[in-house]
Amino acid sequence: MGRTSTLSIARQCELLSLSRSSFYDSPARESENLRLLRLLNESYLNQPTLCSRKRVLILADATGLNINCNGIQRLRRVLGLEAFYPKLGSH
């Protein structure tokens, strides 16, 4: 499957039961997520008490990517990480 074929991209995708948006989607985004997951895990192991806002600053400096707090929280849920400090209200 490629752009040099005599079949149109739409037809190639149709034959493979693949959406055209999947054809144009580049895998670079996934590698960025994997890199962020690895860096987040390392950061958590080094400093387990940091909040998501501080981690955003650390990871943004380390990667040069535009990262926000919601993205870090989503990745923390994927890894199953929680901040390591006494929670309020638990007696």
Side-chain angles (χ1 to χ4, degrees), residues 23-58:
F23 173 78
Y24 291 109
D25 190 27
S26 65
R29 185 72 180 157
E30 184 62 27
S31 65
E32 287 176 4
N33 279 337
L34 292 175
R35 181 177 172 211
L36 280 174
L37 285 170
R38 183 180 53 78
L39 290 171
L40 178 60
N41 194 35
E42 289 174 7
S43 170
Y44 181 80
L45 290 174
N46 291 333
Q47 298 172 314
T49 58
L50 287 182
C51 65
S52 295
R53 289 181 181 100
K54 297 277 186 183
R55 290 201 198 281
V56 165
L57 297 174
I58 291 170

Side-chain angles (χ1 to χ4, degrees), residues 6 8 16 30 32 43-44 48 59 62 65 73 81 84 86-87:
T6 57
S8 69
L16 293 171
E30 184 62 27
E32 287 176 4
S43 170
Y44 181 80
L59 294 176
L65 297 173
Q73 290 173 349
L81 301 177
F84 187 69
K87 307 294 191 278

Side-chain angles (χ1 to χ4, degrees), residues 5-33:
S5 175
T6 57
L7 291 174
S8 69
I9 292 173
R11 181 65 180 143
Q12 291 177 49
C13 291
E14 182 183 332
L15 291 171
L16 293 171
S17 300
L18 181 73
S19 67
R20 281 193 7 232
S21 62
S22 295
F23 173 78
Y24 291 109
D25 190 27
S26 65
R29 185 72 180 157
E30 184 62 27
S31 65
E32 287 176 4
N33 279 337

Side-chain angles (χ1 to χ4, degrees), residues 59-72:
L59 294 176
D61 285 343
T63 62
L65 297 173
N66 186 14
I67 306 168
N68 62 28
C69 195
N70 291 335
I72 295 300

